[in-house]
Amino acid sequence: MNARRGPVAFVARQPLRRRLLGLVLLLTVVVVLVGGMTTSRALSMFLHTRVDQQLSQFTNELQDGVKRGDLHPVLTGPGANSTVGYLVSPDGSTATLLTGRDAGTTLDPAQAGEVLLHVPKDRRPQDVDRLGVFDVPYRVQAREVPGGGTLVVGVPVGDLNQTLSRLWGIEFAVGLTAVVVVGVSGFLLIRVALRPLAKMTTTTRRIAATDLSGPDSAVRLRAPELHPRTEVGQLGVGMNHMLDAIDAAFAARHEAENQLRQFVADASHELRTPLATVRGYAELFRRSEEAGKLDPAELAVGLRRIEAEAIRMGLLVDDLLLLARLDQGRPLGREPVDLCRLAIDAASDFRVTDDQRSIRLEVPAEPIVVTGDEFRLRQVLANLLANVHAHTPPGTPAQVTVAGADGHALVEVRDEGPGIPAEAADQVFNRFYRADPSRTRTSGGSGLGLAIVRAIVTAHRGRVELDTAPGHTAVRVLLPLDPA
C-alpha cells in the first residue's frame, strides 16, 4: 500500500507549475507516440497491400506461364527483373529458378531445401529474411501447380523497409522536437500564468509577517486585481473580500475597545462625584466626633446628602447593568403591550412631575398592540419625557403621539425647545454623551437615558429616529406591530 501511495504522494508534494508542466509533457508524449504509431501503421499497411497486390499478380501470371510452358511474356513484363520465382519439385529435392538473368538454373537439394525452409506454411504472403540463394528480405507467396510441385514467388521489400525506417526516424525527430518546443513554451506560459498566484503568495507571507497586535493594526495589503472571469482573478477577488472583512473586524474590535475604555472612564467619572461626597461627609462626621462638636442638624443634612448620593449611584449602576444585559442579548419579556395605555400613563406622570409644562396626547381610539416587555417600554417613554424636562426651558410644550402605519407602531415624543446642535445630533444616543461638555449636572442626568432607549428598542427589533431643528425636537420609536 505504501508503494502505491509513494508516487501519488511524491506528485502531490510538487509545486503546481511542475505538475502542470509534467502533465503537458506527458500528454504531448502520448499524442506524439499515438500519432507516430498510427501513421507508421497506416503507411506500412498501405505499402504492404500494394506489394501483396503486385506479388499476387505476378504469381498468377507466373503460374499461368508454367501451365502453358511459356514464361517469356511473364519474364519480359514489368517487375520481372526484381521478382524472384522458384519451381520446387514435388519431393522438394530440386528447385528451378524461373526469373532473372540466371533463369533455368537448378538448385541442388540443399539449396532447394533452403527455398522451402522460408516458404510460409499457410500459403499467405509473408515477410522472410532471405529466399534461396538471395540473402535479402522478400515478401513471399507459394502456390501449388498442376502436375505437382510448388511455385514460390518473392518480391523484394528492402526499399519498403528502408522507407518505413526513415519514417520512424523522422517521426522520432519530429516528436522529440515537439516535446522540447511544448516543454519550453509550456514552462514560459505556465510561469506567466501563475505569476499573479506567486504575487498572492508573497502578499500572504507579508500579511503573516505584519504585526496586528497594535491598537491601530489593519491589513493594508491587497492581492493584485485581475479579470474576475479567470480562476486566479476570482481567487484574488475572494482574497481581497476576506482581507476587507478582516479589516472591518479589526475596526469593529478597535471601536469596541475604544467604547469600552470610554465607558469605563465615563462610569468612573460618574461614580467619582457621589463617592467623593459620601467620603467628604464621612470625614466631616469623624472629625466633628473626635473634636466633640458633632451638630445634630449638620448630621441630619449630611445623612440626607449621603442617602441622595447613594440613590444616585444605585440608579447609575442599575442603568449600567441594564445596558450590559441588553448588550449580552438577554431575552426580555414577551407579552402583548398596548402602547396607547403606556402613553396615557406616561403623560399623566409627566403632568404630575412638571406642572409648568403643557403636554398634548394624541392616541387612536383603537389599541396599538405590540409584543414586548411592558416595564422596559414604559422606561422608554419615561426616559424620553425626562429628556424633555431636563433639556428644554420651563414652560416648553411637549406632545406624545401614538399611531400605526406600514406594519409598525409609531411612538413620537416632540417638544418645542431650542433643538439639538447639528454636531451633537449624531451622538445623543451614545452612552454618557451630553451636549454640555462640562460634565456638570445642571443640564440633566448621566447621559445614559437615550442610550437605554435605543438599546431597549433594538432589543424589541425596532429602531429610533431623531428629527431636530431650531424650534423643535422629535424622537420617533418604531416597533413591529403584532399580526392581526
Side-chain angles (χ1 to χ4, degrees):
M1 182 177 296
N2 292 335
R4 284 183 291 178
R5 288 184 178 179
V8 176
F10 174 77
V11 172
R13 289 194 300 267
Q14 301 305 309
L16 179 59
R17 65 178 61 190
R18 289 186 184 176
R19 284 185 281 171
L20 290 177
L21 184 59
L23 179 61
V24 170
L25 289 177
L26 178 62
L27 292 177
T28 303
V29 170
V30 170
V31 170
V32 169
L33 287 177
V34 172
M37 294 173 62
T38 303
T39 303
S40 300
R41 179 65 178 170
L43 181 60
S44 176
M45 293 177 62
F46 173 74
L47 294 178
H48 279 88
T49 300
R50 290 186 60 183
V51 170
D52 289 347
Q53 291 174 352
Q54 179 184 352
L55 178 61
S56 178
Q57 180 182 356
F58 193 81
T59 302
N60 292 335
E61 292 176 355
L62 194 60
Q63 187 178 22
D64 292 341
V66 171
K67 290 179 182 179
R68 294 192 308 267
D70 182 12
L71 296 177
H72 180 73
V74 180
L75 298 179
T76 57
N81 293 331
S82 60
T83 306
V84 174
Y86 286 100
L87 180 60
V88 183
S89 61
D91 58 0
S93 60
T94 61
T96 303
L97 182 61
L98 303 178
T99 59
R101 291 176 297 178
D102 297 330
T105 303
T106 300
L107 305 181
D108 57 30
Q111 292 175 329
E114 184 75 16
V115 172
L116 291 176
L117 180 65
H118 296 92
V119 173
K121 305 302 181 183
D122 56 2
R123 306 305 189 191
R124 290 184 301 177
Q126 185 173 331
D127 291 332
V128 297
D129 294 333
R130 59 178 298 173
L131 182 61
V133 297
F134 300 98
D135 193 12
V136 292
Y138 279 89
R139 187 78 169 172
V140 177
Q141 187 176 28
R143 293 277 183 89
E144 300 293 336
V145 296
T150 302
L151 181 64
V152 180
V153 181
V155 176
V157 291
D159 293 341
L160 183 148
N161 292 338
Q162 289 180 1
T163 300
L164 292 177
S165 297
R166 284 196 297 269
L167 175 63
W168 292 334
I170 293 173
E171 288 179 343
F172 177 78
V174 171
L176 182 60
T177 303
V179 170
V180 172
V181 171
V182 170
V184 174
S185 303
F187 174 78
L188 296 177
L189 291 176
I190 292 173
R191 184 176 181 180
V192 172
L194 296 183
R195 187 174 297 166
L197 195 59
K199 292 182 179 179
M200 291 183 191
T201 303
T202 303
T203 301
T204 56
R205 290 175 179 172
R206 294 174 62 187
I207 292 173
T210 303
D211 183 12
L212 301 177
S213 59
D216 298 325
S217 56
V219 183
R220 296 179 175 85
L221 298 174
R222 291 295 181 270
E225 295 184 1
L226 300 174
H227 199 285
R229 295 184 61 181
T230 64
E231 288 77 4
V232 179
Q234 293 174 4
L235 177 62
V237 171
M239 182 176 176
N240 287 336
H241 285 334
M242 179 189 68
L243 294 176
D244 290 340
I246 292 175
D247 270 351
F250 273 118
R253 187 193 73 177
H254 297 158
E255 180 65 22
E257 290 176 352
N258 291 334
Q259 290 180 355
L260 178 61
R261 285 192 290 269
Q262 186 64 37
F263 180 82
V264 172
D266 291 337
S268 301
H269 179 86
E270 294 296 331
L271 291 172
R272 183 183 298 121
T273 301
L275 286 174
T277 301
V278 172
R279 180 179 179 181
Y281 277 108
E283 290 182 356
L284 176 62
F285 295 155
R286 179 177 58 80
R287 292 174 182 175
S288 298
E289 184 179 8
E290 290 175 354
K293 299 179 180 179
L294 185 61
D295 187 355
E298 291 182 356
L299 177 60
V301 172
L303 291 176
R304 284 196 300 271
R305 292 292 299 129
I306 291 174
E307 182 183 12
E309 295 299 332
I311 293 174
R312 191 169 125 197
M313 286 190 292
L315 294 176
L316 177 60
V317 170
D318 289 341
D319 289 343
L320 293 176
L321 289 176
L322 173 60
L323 288 172
R325 293 191 186 99
L326 294 175
D327 288 342
Q328 292 174 359
R330 294 189 182 181
L332 298 176
R334 303 288 295 173
E335 57 185 354
V337 179
D338 182 6
L339 295 180
C340 296
R341 182 169 57 83
L342 263 61
I344 294 173
D345 293 344
S348 300
D349 295 341
F350 185 77
R351 291 190 183 97
V352 172
T353 57
D354 192 347
D355 56 1
Q356 296 182 1
R357 302 171 188 267
S358 63
I359 181 169
R360 182 181 177 186
L361 182 63
E362 291 186 3
V363 296
E366 297 296 329
I368 302 294
V369 180
V370 299
T371 298
D373 190 318
E374 179 177 348
F375 178 75
R376 296 305 176 193
L377 292 176
R378 285 184 181 275
Q379 189 174 1
V380 168
L381 283 169
N383 284 6
L384 293 178
L385 289 173
N387 231 39
V388 174
H389 173 77
H391 298 289
T392 59
T396 301
Q399 177 178 328
V400 178
T401 303
V402 180
D406 299 328
H408 284 82
L410 168 67
V411 178
E412 180 184 81
V413 175
R414 174 183 292 268
D415 65 68
E416 299 178 6
I420 301 174
E423 62 274 9
D426 296 333
Q427 304 182 57
V428 292
F429 292 101
N430 294 339
R431 298 173 185 183
F432 294 110
Y433 179 80
R434 291 194 297 269
D436 179 11
S438 63
R439 290 190 178 272
T440 63
R441 293 200 167 266
T442 58
S443 60
S446 64
L448 293 176
L450 291 181
I452 292 175
V453 168
R454 184 173 64 177
I456 293 174
V457 173
T458 301
H460 284 81
R461 295 179 291 111
R463 67 180 188 273
V464 183
E465 298 175 353
L466 176 66
D467 176 21
T468 183
H472 81 277
T473 297
V475 180
R476 302 185 185 94
V477 174
L478 295 170
L479 297 171
L481 280 171
D482 281 353

